[in-house]
Amino acid sequence: MTTFSRRAFGLAVGGLVAASTFGPVTRASATEDLSKVVLRVGDQTGATRAKLEAAGLLKDVPYQIQWSVYPAAVNLHEALKADAADIGSAADSPTVSAIAGGSKIKVVANFSNGGLGSSLIVPAGSSIKSIGDLKGKTISPTTRGSVAHYLVLGVLKKAGLTPSDVKLAFLTPTDASAAFQAGSIDAWGTWGVYLARTVGTLKATELIDGVGINTGNGILSATDSALADPRKVAAIADFADRVERGYQWSRENKSAYIDFYAKFTKQDKDTVESLYPSEAAYQRTPVDDALAASLQTVFETWKEAGVLTGSLKLNEYIYRGLPTD
């Protein structure tokens, strides 16, 4: 198939050769027909596949994609660790937690919106009007080690509070949603489709978003075993390019994106439009020393919070072989 660029093949192979961890690879092996390659993609809530389909970006894929859907990043990373998926996207917080937990993965691409898209929300009519009012309240950061957990820690620090000043209730996204609706938690740190549905259906109030606390990094990770296969590396390079073009489609087709996301989240268009800026802000960024340093900061934050222990050099988990343009 001719839709996969020669440049992507060459760069993917060059990156694999440079990453000596995976051994030498010949250029000829990567130029074989990709039609028999099966790339196993882990997809949070199914949003990546749905958007790429809406954008028409899955019509000419020169390899096979085997999709699996997970409700949250922690579940996706469990699949990567178990080698049940080859690649998957998640925020930097759960990615770092997964690496610290022994997952054999590398960061292959990054997309950032500067911290938009995750928020700490409270019920409509809540007495909580500022982050200082969180003292003594029950907060669900959703799952431990998630981007929402990172946000909650940052919000508490910003308010001059510590985790011991509140009650943290770690719940799955669906359980947190149910608890929020039942009024058994006072605030909820959440993101994406969960945020859209709760704001739309329950008219929840956004107390604070992630800008200035979270990086907004969306990390595409690949397993070491996938990166050891030059043809899969070529497929991963192509897939990352499609994700990038998906964000470009969102920026250039606001109305079409809102139509798609309203249908996907089962929300009205006004609600989805209010969330559009976080989607439109995503840009692909280099996988370099600066990203490694940012991930290291995330790790040190988790250590300070007692979530992670030990030492970790995140620059050892950066794979620099994929193209960024």
Side-chain angles (χ1 to χ4, degrees), residues 248-266:
Q248 181 181 355
W249 173 81
S250 298
R251 290 191 297 273
E252 296 177 353
N253 299 275
K254 179 179 179 180
S255 179
Y257 173 79
I258 290 174
D259 286 344
F260 143 70
Y261 202 58
K263 183 178 180 180
F264 179 75
T265 59
K266 298 179 174 59

Side-chain angles (χ1 to χ4, degrees), residues 121-134:
I121 58 176
V122 296
S126 172
S127 62
I128 301 172
K129 305 300 181 184
S130 70
I131 57 177
D133 296 334
L134 293 169

Side-chain angles (χ1 to χ4, degrees), residues 1 42 48 76 141 161 163 183 198 219 230 311:
M1 299 184 184
T48 298
L76 185 151
L161 302 173
T198 308
I219 305 290
S311 61

Side-chain angles (χ1 to χ4, degrees), residues 286-297:
V287 176
D288 57 10
D289 290 343
L291 178 59
S294 177
L295 295 174
Q296 194 68 43
T297 297

Side-chain angles (χ1 to χ4, degrees), residues 77-101:
H77 272 292
E78 286 171 354
L80 289 172
K81 187 175 183 179
D83 200 28
D86 296 317
I87 62 172
S89 294
D92 50 6
S93 294
T95 300
V96 168
S97 295
I99 291 172

Side-chain angles (χ1 to χ4, degrees), residues 3-271:
T3 54
F4 187 69
S5 70
R6 295 176 185 272
R7 179 176 180 277
F9 274 114
L11 287 171
V13 178
L16 188 59
V17 172
S20 59
T21 303
F22 306 110
V25 179
T26 64
R27 183 175 296 272
S29 65
T31 57
E32 295 177 17
D33 182 9
L34 291 188
S35 62
K36 294 183 180 180
V37 173
V38 177
L39 186 64
R40 300 173 302 162
V41 180
D43 188 5
Q44 282 194 65
T45 73
T48 298
R49 180 180 184 177
K51 187 178 77 172
L52 293 181
E53 285 179 339
L57 292 170
L58 293 180
K59 295 178 179 179
D60 59 350
V61 180
Y63 46 89
Q64 302 173 58
I65 298 179
Q66 183 181 96
W67 297 92
S68 51
V69 178
Y70 303 96
V74 62
N75 311 102
L76 185 151
H77 272 292
E78 286 171 354
L80 289 172
K81 187 175 183 179
D83 200 28
D86 296 317
I87 62 172
S89 294
D92 50 6
S93 294
T95 300
V96 168
S97 295
I99 291 172
S103 186
K104 298 183 183 303
I105 56 174
K106 298 289 185 297
V107 174
V108 297
N110 183 55
F111 304 87
S112 179
N113 70 358
L116 294 171
S118 57
S119 296
L120 185 64
I121 58 176
V122 296
S126 172
S127 62
I128 301 172
K129 305 300 181 184
S130 70
I131 57 177
D133 296 334
L134 293 169
K135 187 173 183 179
K137 304 298 184 180
T138 300
I139 306 170
S140 177
T142 313
T143 48
R144 188 181 299 273
S146 68
V147 63
H149 186 192
Y150 194 88
L151 172 63
V152 168
L153 292 177
V155 170
L156 292 177
K157 191 171 186 178
K158 189 179 180 73
L161 302 173
T162 68
S164 61
D165 290 319
V166 299
K167 180 181 178 181
L168 297 181
F170 294 101
L171 301 167
T172 66
T174 52
D175 287 344
S177 177
F180 190 84
Q181 292 182 57
S184 54
I185 56 176
D186 300 302
W188 179 21
T190 187
W191 63 87
V193 64
Y194 305 108
L195 177 62
R197 287 172 176 164
T198 308
V199 170
T201 303
L202 302 180
K203 308 304 179 186
T205 300
E206 181 182 75
L207 190 65
I208 187 172
D209 65 23
V211 177
I213 299 174
N214 288 5
T215 64
N217 286 337
I219 305 290
L220 179 64
S221 301
T223 63
D224 286 357
S225 58
L227 291 172
D229 181 340
R231 291 183 299 171
K232 279 200 175 182
V233 170
I236 291 167
D238 175 78
F239 185 83
D241 178 68
R242 290 172 193 272
V243 172
E244 183 175 13
R245 285 188 282 152
Y247 285 122
Q248 181 181 355
W249 173 81
S250 298
R251 290 191 297 273
E252 296 177 353
N253 299 275
K254 179 179 179 180
S255 179
Y257 173 79
I258 290 174
D259 286 344
F260 143 70
Y261 202 58
K263 183 178 180 180
F264 179 75
T265 59
K266 298 179 174 59
Q267 297 301 311
D268 62 86
K269 291 183 181 180
D270 287 341
T271 296

